[in-house]
Every structure is written in C-alpha cells, then in structure tokens.
Amino acid sequence: MVNRVVVGAHYGLRGWLVQRVSAVVMACYTVLFAVALTAARPADHAAWKAFFGHGWMRFATLLFFVSLFLHAWVGMRDILMDYIKPTGLRLALEVLVILLLVGCAGWAIQILWRT
Amino acid sequence: MPDAALKKKRPLWYNLNLLNLPLPGVISILHRISGALLFLFTAWLLYLLDSSLASAERYAEIKASLAHPLAKLVLLGLLWAFLHHLCAGIRYLFLDVHKGVDLPTARMTSGVVLAVSLALTAVVGGWLLW
C-alpha cells in the first residue's frame, strides 16, 4: 500500500525524458516548417510576416521554442556537468544559461505575438 | 587455464587518439559540439527572426546584411549544426528503444547520419543561401 521509491529522486530520469520529448516535438516542427515553407515560399516581408501570422503557425512555433529552451537547458546542463568541475563556477554558468533561456523564451513570445 | 586465455585476448591499451575515434564516437562528439554551437547562437538567430518580422525596413536591412559571404558561411555552419544534431538525435532515439545497437548497424547508421546531414546542408543551404 505504500508507494515508496527507494532509489533517488529521479531528477536525471525527468531530464532525460524532457530531452527526448522536446526532441520529438522539434523534429516534427522541422518537417512541418519545411513543408509550409516550400508551399508558401515567402519572398518579401509581407509574405514572411503572413507566414508566421497564421494561428496554427504561431501555436506550433511556440511549442517549438518551449521545447528548444527545455532541450537546450538539459543539454547545456549535461555539458557543464561534464567539463566544469568547480561547483561554484558550474552553478554560476548554469544560472547564466537559465537566465539566457528564460529571457529568450520571453523574447520569442513577444516576437510571435507582436501585432 | 581459461582465465589466462581470456586475459591474453584483451587489448593492452586503447588508442584514444582523436583521429582513431570510431565513427559512432565522431557522431557523438559532433552531436555535442553542434548542440553547444546552436545554444551559443540562439540569441543571434532570435535577433534575426525578430528583425525580419519587425518591419519592411528592418527586413530589408537584415536581408542585405545576410548577403555578406561571412554571414552566409556562419548560417551555413549553423544549418549543418542543426541538421547534424537532428539526424544524430533521431539515431539516438532509435538507440534508446534498442534499435540498431549492434556494432555493424551502429557504424552504418553513423555513416548515414554524417552523409545525410551533409547532403541536406548542401541542398537546403544551396536553396536558401545562394
């Protein structure tokens, strides 16, 4: 009756899964983007803006960006864990990566929903 | 003694020279390098997207600045990084579900990843950048 998990907190598993799920989302978006781009062939600013103006395109691109930033976090965390041994420096770089990615996420939303 | 026979078969040392890295290892380190490269250029790519969507004037400015050979070279490099990361990533997803884990297949798919990502870079880069 007791759902006791005795081995660790599973942080690693969560990161691993986030990395894979976000990868699949981005791979699907890449195919969608390539198909939409070859179909629309936007050649000037108005067409380029209209290309990202569709509701579904905004939605899909937002999902792509959210996946990208989660994916980049897990990947950069792995790289920093492998190569940066001093804990203080690693923590500082990890915080820097998070701040950059959160900032980019806000920026991406602003780009997509700007009128 | 079976133990001694086993011991004799073991390699005495591993050649860790980068040039002797097996193909799956090359794919692996390139996956990491391309990922780090894409991370480092994320803000610049967002800036390009932002500028290109901001106004007709900014769009024209960005288009003109990206016509520079150096800008094209960087974009081509990032395109390769993206495509290599994508192709190698798909291979890793198959490895995750234990598809293609035996050595001959793993080596073969590594070659496919390297070739397909380079070919796609040439095709897409040629179409979009030149």
Side-chain angles (χ1 to χ4, degrees), chain A residues 30-115:
Chain A
T30 304
V31 173
L32 180 97
F33 184 84
V35 169
L37 195 70
T38 40
R41 289 175 175 267
D44 57 8
H45 175 254
W48 182 238
K49 207 173 154 125
F51 182 69
F52 281 102
H54 293 292
W56 63 268
M57 190 62 186
R58 273 188 189 153
F59 178 71
T61 309
L62 178 71
L63 288 185
F64 170 79
F65 276 128
V66 170
S67 300
L68 176 68
F69 298 132
L70 289 171
H71 192 88
W73 160 241
V74 178
M76 287 308 291
R77 189 201 59 174
D78 286 354
I79 289 180
L80 293 174
M81 281 197 295
D82 278 356
Y83 302 123
I84 311 293
K85 295 305 173 190
T87 312
L89 179 63
R90 189 173 66 238
L91 180 67
L93 287 172
E94 282 174 350
V95 168
L96 201 68
V97 168
I98 291 175
L99 291 178
L100 189 83
L101 290 174
V102 170
C104 281
W107 190 12
I109 290 168
Q110 190 248 334
I111 292 169
L112 289 173
W113 269 274
R114 181 177 44 202
T115 47

Coordinates of all heavy atoms in Angstrom, one line a residue, chain A residues 30-115:
Chain A
T30 N 10.1 20.8 -37.4 CA 11.1 21.0 -38.5 C 10.5 20.5 -39.8 O 10.5 21.2 -40.9 CB 12.4 20.2 -38.3 OG1 12.9 20.7 -37.0 CG2 13.4 20.5 -39.4
V31 N 9.8 19.3 -39.8 CA 9.2 18.8 -41.0 C 8.0 19.7 -41.4 O 7.9 20.1 -42.6 CB 8.7 17.3 -40.7 CG1 7.9 16.8 -41.9 CG2 9.8 16.4 -40.5
L32 N 7.2 20.1 -40.4 CA 6.1 21.0 -40.7 C 6.5 22.3 -41.3 O 6.0 22.8 -42.3 CB 5.3 21.2 -39.4 CG 4.1 22.1 -39.4 CD1 2.9 21.3 -39.5 CD2 4.0 23.0 -38.2
F33 N 7.6 22.8 -40.7 CA 8.1 24.1 -41.1 C 8.7 24.0 -42.6 O 8.4 24.9 -43.4 CB 9.3 24.6 -40.2 CG 9.8 25.9 -40.5 CD1 9.2 27.1 -40.0 CD2 11.0 26.0 -41.3 CE1 9.7 28.3 -40.3 CE2 11.5 27.3 -41.6 CZ 10.9 28.4 -41.1
A34 N 9.4 22.9 -42.9 CA 10.0 22.8 -44.2 C 8.9 22.6 -45.2 O 8.9 23.2 -46.3 CB 10.9 21.5 -44.2
V35 N 7.8 21.9 -44.9 CA 6.7 21.7 -45.8 C 6.0 23.0 -46.1 O 5.7 23.4 -47.2 CB 5.7 20.6 -45.3 CG1 4.4 20.6 -46.1 CG2 6.3 19.2 -45.3
A36 N 5.7 23.7 -45.0 CA 5.0 25.0 -45.1 C 5.8 26.0 -45.8 O 5.3 26.8 -46.6 CB 4.7 25.6 -43.7
L37 N 7.1 26.0 -45.6 CA 8.0 27.0 -46.3 C 8.1 26.7 -47.8 O 8.0 27.7 -48.6 CB 9.4 26.9 -45.7 CG 10.3 28.1 -46.0 CD1 9.9 29.4 -45.3 CD2 11.8 27.8 -45.6
T38 N 8.2 25.5 -48.2 CA 8.2 25.1 -49.6 C 6.9 25.4 -50.3 O 6.8 25.7 -51.5 CB 8.6 23.7 -49.8 OG1 8.0 22.8 -48.9 CG2 10.1 23.5 -49.7
A39 N 5.8 25.3 -49.5 CA 4.4 25.5 -50.1 C 4.2 27.0 -50.2 O 3.7 27.5 -51.3 CB 3.4 24.9 -49.2
A40 N 4.6 27.8 -49.2 CA 4.3 29.2 -49.2 C 5.4 30.1 -50.0 O 5.0 31.0 -50.6 CB 4.2 29.8 -47.8
R41 N 6.6 29.6 -49.9 CA 7.8 30.4 -50.5 C 7.7 31.9 -50.3 O 7.6 32.6 -51.2 CB 7.9 30.1 -52.0 CG 8.3 28.7 -52.2 CD 8.3 28.4 -53.7 NE 8.8 27.1 -54.0 CZ 10.1 26.9 -54.4 NH1 11.0 27.9 -54.4 NH2 10.6 25.7 -54.6
P42 N 7.7 32.3 -49.0 CA 7.5 33.8 -48.7 C 8.8 34.5 -49.3 O 9.9 34.2 -48.9 CB 7.4 33.9 -47.2 CG 8.1 32.6 -46.7 CD 7.8 31.6 -47.8
A43 N 8.5 35.5 -50.1 CA 9.6 36.2 -50.8 C 9.9 37.6 -50.4 O 10.9 38.2 -50.6 CB 9.4 36.2 -52.3
D44 N 8.9 38.2 -49.6 CA 9.1 39.5 -49.1 C 8.6 39.6 -47.7 O 8.2 38.6 -47.1 CB 8.5 40.6 -50.0 CG 7.0 40.3 -50.2 OD1 6.5 39.4 -49.5 OD2 6.3 41.0 -51.0
H45 N 8.8 40.8 -47.1 CA 8.4 41.0 -45.7 C 7.0 40.7 -45.4 O 6.7 40.0 -44.4 CB 8.7 42.4 -45.2 CG 8.3 42.7 -43.8 ND1 7.2 43.5 -43.5 CD2 8.8 42.2 -42.7 CE1 7.0 43.5 -42.2 NE2 8.0 42.8 -41.7
A46 N 6.0 41.1 -46.3 CA 4.6 40.9 -46.1 C 4.3 39.4 -46.0 O 3.6 38.9 -45.1 CB 3.8 41.6 -47.1
A47 N 4.9 38.7 -47.0 CA 4.6 37.3 -47.1 C 5.2 36.5 -45.9 O 4.7 35.6 -45.3 CB 5.2 36.7 -48.4
W48 N 6.4 37.0 -45.5 CA 7.2 36.4 -44.3 C 6.4 36.6 -43.1 O 6.2 35.7 -42.2 CB 8.5 37.0 -44.3 CG 9.5 36.5 -43.2 CD1 10.0 37.3 -42.2 CD2 10.0 35.2 -43.0 NE1 10.9 36.5 -41.4 CE2 10.8 35.2 -41.9 CE3 9.7 34.0 -43.7 CZ2 11.5 34.1 -41.4 CZ3 10.4 32.8 -43.2 CH2 11.3 32.9 -42.1
K49 N 5.8 37.8 -42.9 CA 5.0 38.1 -41.7 C 3.7 37.3 -41.7 O 3.3 36.8 -40.7 CB 4.7 39.6 -41.7 CG 4.5 40.1 -40.3 CD 4.3 41.6 -40.3 CE 3.5 42.0 -39.1 NZ 4.0 43.0 -38.2
A50 N 3.1 37.2 -42.9 CA 1.9 36.4 -43.0 C 2.1 34.9 -42.7 O 1.3 34.2 -42.1 CB 1.3 36.6 -44.4
F51 N 3.3 34.5 -43.1 CA 3.7 33.1 -42.9 C 3.7 32.7 -41.4 O 3.2 31.7 -41.0 CB 5.1 32.9 -43.4 CG 5.7 31.5 -43.3 CD1 5.1 30.4 -44.1 CD2 6.7 31.2 -42.4 CE1 5.6 29.1 -44.0 CE2 7.2 29.9 -42.3 CZ 6.6 28.9 -43.1
F52 N 4.2 33.7 -40.6 CA 4.2 33.4 -39.1 C 2.9 34.0 -38.5 O 2.7 33.8 -37.3 CB 5.4 34.1 -38.4 CG 6.6 33.3 -38.6 CD1 7.6 33.7 -39.5 CD2 6.9 32.2 -37.8 CE1 8.8 32.9 -39.7 CE2 8.0 31.4 -38.0 CZ 9.0 31.8 -38.9
G53 N 2.0 34.6 -39.3 CA 0.8 35.2 -38.7 C -0.3 34.2 -38.5 O -1.2 34.4 -37.7
H54 N -0.3 33.1 -39.2 CA -1.3 32.1 -39.1 C -1.4 31.6 -37.6 O -0.3 31.4 -37.0 CB -1.1 30.8 -40.0 CG -1.2 31.1 -41.4 ND1 -2.4 31.5 -42.0 CD2 -0.3 31.2 -42.4 CE1 -2.2 31.7 -43.3 NE2 -0.9 31.5 -43.6
G55 N -2.6 31.4 -37.1 CA -2.8 31.0 -35.7 C -2.0 29.7 -35.4 O -1.3 29.6 -34.4
W56 N -2.2 28.7 -36.3 CA -1.6 27.4 -36.1 C -0.1 27.5 -36.2 O 0.6 26.7 -35.5 CB -2.1 26.4 -37.1 CG -1.8 26.6 -38.5 CD1 -2.6 27.4 -39.4 CD2 -0.6 26.3 -39.2 NE1 -2.0 27.4 -40.6 CE2 -0.8 26.8 -40.6 CE3 0.5 25.6 -38.9 CZ2 0.2 26.6 -41.5 CZ3 1.5 25.4 -39.9 CH2 1.3 25.9 -41.2
M57 N 0.4 28.4 -37.0 CA 1.9 28.5 -37.1 C 2.5 29.1 -35.9 O 3.5 28.7 -35.4 CB 2.2 29.4 -38.3 CG 3.7 29.4 -38.7 SD 4.3 27.8 -39.2 CE 6.0 28.2 -39.3
R58 N 1.8 30.1 -35.3 CA 2.2 30.7 -34.0 C 2.2 29.7 -32.9 O 3.2 29.5 -32.2 CB 1.2 31.8 -33.6 CG 1.6 33.1 -34.2 CD 0.7 34.2 -33.6 NE 0.9 35.4 -34.4 CZ 0.0 36.4 -34.5 NH1 -1.1 36.3 -33.9 NH2 0.3 37.5 -35.2
F59 N 1.1 28.9 -32.9 CA 1.0 27.8 -31.9 C 2.1 26.8 -32.0 O 2.8 26.5 -31.0 CB -0.4 27.2 -32.1 CG -0.6 26.0 -31.1 CD1 -0.9 26.3 -29.8 CD2 -0.6 24.7 -31.6 CE1 -1.1 25.2 -28.9 CE2 -0.9 23.7 -30.7 CZ -1.1 23.9 -29.4
A60 N 2.4 26.3 -33.2 CA 3.4 25.3 -33.5 C 4.8 25.9 -33.2 O 5.6 25.2 -32.6 CB 3.3 24.9 -34.9
T61 N 5.0 27.2 -33.6 CA 6.3 27.8 -33.3 C 6.5 28.0 -31.8 O 7.7 27.8 -31.3 CB 6.4 29.1 -34.1 OG1 6.1 28.9 -35.4 CG2 7.8 29.7 -34.0
L62 N 5.5 28.3 -31.1 CA 5.6 28.5 -29.7 C 6.0 27.2 -29.0 O 6.9 27.1 -28.2 CB 4.3 29.0 -29.0 CG 4.3 29.1 -27.5 CD1 5.2 30.3 -27.1 CD2 3.0 29.3 -26.9
L63 N 5.3 26.1 -29.5 CA 5.7 24.8 -28.9 C 7.1 24.4 -29.3 O 7.9 23.9 -28.4 CB 4.8 23.7 -29.5 CG 3.3 23.7 -29.1 CD1 2.6 22.5 -29.7 CD2 3.3 23.6 -27.5
F64 N 7.6 24.8 -30.5 CA 9.0 24.6 -30.9 C 9.9 25.3 -29.9 O 10.9 24.7 -29.4 CB 9.2 25.0 -32.3 CG 10.6 25.1 -32.7 CD1 11.3 23.9 -33.1 CD2 11.4 26.3 -32.7 CE1 12.6 23.9 -33.4 CE2 12.7 26.3 -33.1 CZ 13.3 25.1 -33.4
F65 N 9.6 26.6 -29.7 CA 10.5 27.4 -28.8 C 10.6 26.9 -27.4 O 11.6 26.8 -26.8 CB 10.1 28.9 -28.8 CG 10.7 29.6 -30.0 CD1 9.9 30.4 -30.9 CD2 12.0 29.6 -30.3 CE1 10.4 31.0 -32.0 CE2 12.6 30.2 -31.4 CZ 11.7 31.0 -32.2
V66 N 9.4 26.5 -26.8 CA 9.4 26.0 -25.5 C 10.2 24.7 -25.4 O 11.0 24.5 -24.5 CB 7.9 25.7 -25.0 CG1 7.9 24.9 -23.7 CG2 7.1 27.0 -24.9
S67 N 10.0 23.8 -26.4 CA 10.8 22.6 -26.5 C 12.3 22.9 -26.6 O 13.1 22.3 -26.0 CB 10.4 21.7 -27.7 OG 9.0 21.4 -27.6
L68 N 12.6 23.9 -27.5 CA 14.0 24.3 -27.7 C 14.7 24.7 -26.4 O 15.8 24.3 -26.1 CB 14.1 25.4 -28.7 CG 15.4 26.0 -29.0 CD1 16.3 25.0 -29.7 CD2 15.3 27.3 -29.8
F69 N 14.0 25.5 -25.6 CA 14.6 26.1 -24.4 C 14.8 25.0 -23.3 O 15.8 24.9 -22.6 CB 13.9 27.3 -23.9 CG 13.9 28.4 -24.9 CD1 12.8 29.1 -25.3 CD2 15.1 28.7 -25.6 CE1 12.8 30.1 -26.3 CE2 15.1 29.7 -26.5 CZ 14.0 30.4 -26.9
L70 N 13.8 24.1 -23.2 CA 13.9 23.0 -22.3 C 15.0 22.0 -22.7 O 15.8 21.6 -21.9 CB 12.6 22.2 -22.2 CG 11.4 22.9 -21.5 CD1 10.1 22.1 -21.8 CD2 11.6 23.0 -20.1
H71 N 15.1 21.8 -24.0 CA 16.1 20.9 -24.6 C 17.5 21.5 -24.4 O 18.4 20.8 -24.0 CB 15.8 20.7 -26.1 CG 16.5 19.6 -26.7 ND1 16.1 18.3 -26.8 CD2 17.7 19.6 -27.4 CE1 17.0 17.6 -27.4 NE2 18.0 18.3 -27.8
A72 N 17.6 22.8 -24.7 CA 18.9 23.4 -24.5 C 19.4 23.4 -23.0 O 20.5 23.3 -22.7 CB 18.8 24.9 -25.0
W73 N 18.4 23.6 -22.1 CA 18.8 23.5 -20.7 C 19.4 22.2 -20.3 O 20.4 22.1 -19.7 CB 17.6 23.9 -19.8 CG 17.7 23.4 -18.4 CD1 17.0 22.5 -17.8 CD2 18.8 23.8 -17.5 NE1 17.5 22.3 -16.5 CE2 18.6 23.1 -16.3 CE3 19.9 24.6 -17.6 CZ2 19.4 23.2 -15.2 CZ3 20.7 24.7 -16.5 CH2 20.5 24.0 -15.4
V74 N 18.7 21.1 -20.7 CA 19.2 19.8 -20.3 C 20.5 19.5 -21.0 O 21.5 19.0 -20.3 CB 18.2 18.6 -20.8 CG1 18.7 17.3 -20.4 CG2 16.8 18.9 -20.1
G75 N 20.7 19.9 -22.3 CA 21.9 19.7 -23.0 C 23.1 20.5 -22.4 O 24.2 19.9 -22.2
M76 N 22.8 21.7 -22.1 CA 23.9 22.6 -21.5 C 24.2 22.1 -20.1 O 25.4 22.2 -19.7 CB 23.4 24.0 -21.5 CG 23.4 24.7 -22.9 SD 25.0 24.5 -23.8 CE 26.1 25.5 -22.9
R77 N 23.2 21.7 -19.4 CA 23.5 21.2 -18.0 C 24.4 20.0 -18.1 O 25.4 19.9 -17.3 CB 22.1 20.8 -17.3 CG 22.2 20.5 -15.9 CD 21.1 19.6 -15.4 NE 21.0 18.4 -16.2 CZ 20.2 17.4 -15.9 NH1 19.3 17.5 -15.0 NH2 20.2 16.3 -16.7
D78 N 24.1 19.1 -19.0 CA 25.0 17.9 -19.2 C 26.4 18.3 -19.6 O 27.4 17.7 -19.0 CB 24.4 17.0 -20.4 CG 23.2 16.3 -19.9 OD1 22.8 16.4 -18.7 OD2 22.5 15.6 -20.8
I79 N 26.5 19.3 -20.5 CA 27.9 19.7 -20.9 C 28.6 20.3 -19.7 O 29.8 20.0 -19.5 CB 27.8 20.7 -22.1 CG1 27.3 20.0 -23.3 CG2 29.1 21.4 -22.3 CD1 27.2 20.9 -24.6
L80 N 27.9 21.2 -19.0 CA 28.6 21.8 -17.8 C 29.0 20.8 -16.8 O 30.0 20.9 -16.2 CB 27.6 22.9 -17.2 CG 27.4 24.1 -18.1 CD1 26.3 25.0 -17.5 CD2 28.7 24.9 -18.4
M81 N 28.1 19.8 -16.5 CA 28.4 18.8 -15.5 C 29.6 18.0 -16.0 O 30.4 17.5 -15.1 CB 27.2 17.8 -15.4 CG 26.1 18.4 -14.5 SD 25.0 17.1 -13.9 CE 24.2 16.5 -15.4
D82 N 29.8 17.8 -17.3 CA 31.0 17.0 -17.8 C 32.3 17.8 -17.7 O 33.3 17.2 -17.5 CB 30.7 16.6 -19.2 CG 29.8 15.3 -19.3 OD1 29.5 14.8 -18.2 OD2 29.5 14.9 -20.4
Y83 N 32.3 19.1 -18.0 CA 33.5 19.8 -18.2 C 33.9 20.8 -17.1 O 35.1 21.1 -17.0 CB 33.5 20.5 -19.6 CG 33.3 19.5 -20.7 CD1 32.3 19.7 -21.6 CD2 34.2 18.4 -20.9 CE1 32.1 18.9 -22.7 CE2 33.9 17.6 -21.9 CZ 32.9 17.8 -22.8 OH 32.7 16.9 -23.9
I84 N 32.9 21.3 -16.4 CA 33.2 22.3 -15.4 C 33.1 21.7 -14.0 O 32.1 21.4 -13.5 CB 32.2 23.5 -15.5 CG1 32.0 24.0 -16.9 CG2 32.6 24.6 -14.5 CD1 33.3 24.6 -17.5
K85 N 34.3 21.5 -13.4 CA 34.4 20.7 -12.2 C 34.2 21.6 -10.9 O 33.5 21.2 -10.0 CB 35.7 19.9 -12.1 CG 35.8 18.8 -13.1 CD 34.6 17.9 -13.1 CE 34.7 16.9 -14.2 NZ 33.4 16.1 -14.3
P86 N 34.7 22.8 -10.9 CA 34.5 23.6 -9.7 C 33.0 24.0 -9.5 O 32.4 24.5 -10.4 CB 35.3 24.9 -9.9 CG 36.2 24.6 -11.0 CD 35.5 23.6 -11.9
T87 N 32.4 23.6 -8.4 CA 31.0 23.7 -8.2 C 30.4 25.1 -8.3 O 29.4 25.3 -8.9 CB 30.6 23.2 -6.8 OG1 31.2 21.9 -6.6 CG2 29.1 22.9 -6.6
G88 N 31.2 26.1 -7.7 CA 30.7 27.5 -7.8 C 30.6 28.0 -9.2 O 29.6 28.6 -9.6
L89 N 31.7 27.7 -10.0 CA 31.7 28.2 -11.4 C 30.6 27.5 -12.2 O 29.9 28.1 -13.0 CB 33.1 27.9 -12.0 CG 33.2 28.2 -13.5 CD1 33.1 29.8 -13.6 CD2 34.6 27.8 -14.0
R90 N 30.4 26.2 -11.9 CA 29.3 25.5 -12.6 C 28.0 26.0 -12.3 O 27.1 26.3 -13.2 CB 29.4 24.0 -12.3 CG 28.5 23.2 -13.2 CD 28.6 21.7 -13.0 NE 28.2 21.2 -11.7 CZ 29.0 20.6 -10.9 NH1 30.2 20.3 -11.2 NH2 28.5 20.2 -9.7
L91 N 27.7 26.3 -11.0 CA 26.5 26.9 -10.6 C 26.2 28.2 -11.3 O 25.2 28.5 -11.8 CB 26.4 27.1 -9.1 CG 25.1 27.7 -8.5 CD1 24.0 26.7 -8.7 CD2 25.3 28.0 -7.1
A92 N 27.3 29.0 -11.3 CA 27.2 30.4 -11.9 C 26.8 30.2 -13.4 O 25.9 30.9 -13.9 CB 28.5 31.1 -11.8
L93 N 27.5 29.3 -14.1 CA 27.2 29.1 -15.6 C 25.8 28.6 -15.8 O 25.2 28.9 -16.7 CB 28.3 28.2 -16.2 CG 29.7 28.8 -16.3 CD1 30.7 27.8 -16.8 CD2 29.6 30.0 -17.3
E94 N 25.4 27.7 -14.9 CA 24.1 27.1 -15.0 C 23.0 28.2 -14.9 O 22.0 28.2 -15.6 CB 23.9 26.0 -14.0 CG 24.5 24.7 -14.4 CD 24.5 23.6 -13.4 OE1 24.1 23.9 -12.2 OE2 24.8 22.4 -13.7
V95 N 23.2 29.1 -13.9 CA 22.3 30.2 -13.7 C 22.3 31.1 -14.9 O 21.2 31.5 -15.4 CB 22.7 31.0 -12.4 CG1 21.9 32.3 -12.3 CG2 22.4 30.1 -11.2
L96 N 23.5 31.3 -15.5 CA 23.6 32.2 -16.7 C 22.8 31.5 -17.8 O 22.1 32.2 -18.5 CB 25.1 32.3 -17.0 CG 25.5 33.4 -17.9 CD1 25.3 34.8 -17.1 CD2 26.9 33.3 -18.4
V97 N 22.9 30.2 -18.0 CA 22.2 29.5 -19.1 C 20.7 29.6 -18.9 O 20.0 30.0 -19.8 CB 22.6 28.0 -19.1 CG1 21.7 27.2 -20.0 CG2 24.1 27.9 -19.6
I98 N 20.3 29.4 -17.6 CA 18.8 29.5 -17.3 C 18.3 30.9 -17.6 O 17.3 31.1 -18.3 CB 18.5 29.1 -15.9 CG1 18.8 27.6 -15.7 CG2 17.1 29.5 -15.5 CD1 18.7 27.2 -14.2
L99 N 19.0 31.9 -17.1 CA 18.6 33.3 -17.4 C 18.5 33.6 -18.9 O 17.5 34.2 -19.3 CB 19.6 34.3 -16.7 CG 19.5 34.3 -15.1 CD1 20.5 35.3 -14.6 CD2 18.1 34.6 -14.6
L100 N 19.5 33.2 -19.6 CA 19.5 33.4 -21.0 C 18.4 32.8 -21.7 O 17.7 33.4 -22.6 CB 20.9 32.9 -21.6 CG 21.1 33.3 -23.1 CD1 21.7 34.7 -23.1 CD2 22.0 32.4 -23.8
L101 N 18.1 31.5 -21.3 CA 17.0 30.8 -22.0 C 15.6 31.3 -21.6 O 14.8 31.4 -22.4 CB 17.1 29.3 -21.6 CG 18.3 28.5 -22.2 CD1 18.4 27.1 -21.7 CD2 18.2 28.5 -23.7
V102 N 15.5 31.7 -20.3 CA 14.2 32.3 -19.9 C 14.0 33.7 -20.7 O 12.9 34.0 -21.2 CB 14.1 32.5 -18.4 CG1 12.9 33.3 -18.0 CG2 14.1 31.2 -17.7
G103 N 15.0 34.4 -20.7 CA 15.0 35.7 -21.5 C 14.6 35.5 -22.9 O 13.7 36.2 -23.5
C104 N 15.3 34.5 -23.5 CA 15.0 34.2 -25.0 C 13.5 33.7 -25.1 O 12.9 34.0 -26.1 CB 15.9 33.1 -25.5 SG 17.6 33.8 -25.9
A105 N 13.0 33.0 -24.2 CA 11.6 32.5 -24.2 C 10.7 33.6 -24.2 O 9.7 33.7 -25.1 CB 11.3 31.5 -23.1
G106 N 10.9 34.6 -23.4 CA 10.0 35.8 -23.3 C 10.1 36.6 -24.6 O 9.1 37.0 -25.2
W107 N 11.3 36.7 -25.1 CA 11.6 37.4 -26.4 C 10.8 36.7 -27.5 O 10.2 37.3 -28.4 CB 13.1 37.4 -26.6 CG 13.5 38.3 -27.7 CD1 12.8 39.3 -28.4 CD2 14.9 38.3 -28.3 NE1 13.6 39.9 -29.4 CE2 14.8 39.3 -29.3 CE3 16.0 37.7 -28.1 CZ2 16.0 39.6 -30.1 CZ3 17.2 37.9 -28.8 CH2 17.1 38.9 -29.8
A108 N 10.9 35.4 -27.6 CA 10.3 34.6 -28.6 C 8.8 34.8 -28.6 O 8.2 35.0 -29.7 CB 10.7 33.1 -28.5
I109 N 8.2 34.8 -27.5 CA 6.7 35.0 -27.4 C 6.4 36.4 -27.9 O 5.4 36.6 -28.6 CB 6.3 34.8 -25.9 CG1 6.4 33.3 -25.5 CG2 4.8 35.3 -25.7 CD1 6.2 33.1 -24.0
Q110 N 7.2 37.4 -27.5 CA 7.0 38.7 -27.9 C 7.1 38.9 -29.4 O 6.3 39.5 -30.1 CB 8.0 39.7 -27.2 CG 7.7 41.1 -27.4 CD 8.8 41.8 -28.3 OE1 9.9 41.3 -28.3 NE2 8.4 42.9 -28.9
I111 N 8.0 38.2 -30.0 CA 8.2 38.2 -31.5 C 7.0 37.6 -32.2 O 6.4 38.2 -33.1 CB 9.5 37.4 -31.9 CG1 10.7 38.1 -31.5 CG2 9.5 37.2 -33.4 CD1 12.0 37.2 -31.6
L112 N 6.5 36.5 -31.6 CA 5.4 35.8 -32.3 C 4.1 36.5 -32.1 O 3.2 36.4 -33.0 CB 5.2 34.4 -31.7 CG 6.4 33.4 -32.1 CD1 6.2 32.1 -31.3 CD2 6.3 33.1 -33.6
W113 N 3.8 37.2 -31.0 CA 2.5 37.8 -30.8 C 2.5 39.3 -30.9 O 1.6 40.0 -30.6 CB 2.0 37.4 -29.4 CG 1.1 36.2 -29.6 CD1 -0.2 36.1 -29.9 CD2 1.5 34.8 -29.5 NE1 -0.6 34.8 -30.1 CE2 0.4 34.0 -29.8 CE3 2.8 34.2 -29.2 CZ2 0.5 32.6 -29.8 CZ3 2.8 32.8 -29.2 CH2 1.7 32.0 -29.5
R114 N 3.6 39.9 -31.5 CA 3.7 41.3 -31.8 C 2.7 41.6 -32.9 O 2.7 40.9 -33.9 CB 5.1 41.7 -32.1 CG 5.3 43.2 -32.4 CD 6.7 43.4 -32.7 NE 7.3 42.4 -33.6 CZ 8.6 42.1 -33.7 NH1 9.4 42.6 -32.9 NH2 9.0 41.1 -34.5
T115 N 2.0 42.6 -32.8 CA 1.0 42.9 -33.9 C 1.7 43.7 -35.0 O 2.6 44.5 -34.8 CB -0.2 43.8 -33.4 OG1 0.3 44.8 -32.6 CG2 -1.1 42.9 -32.6

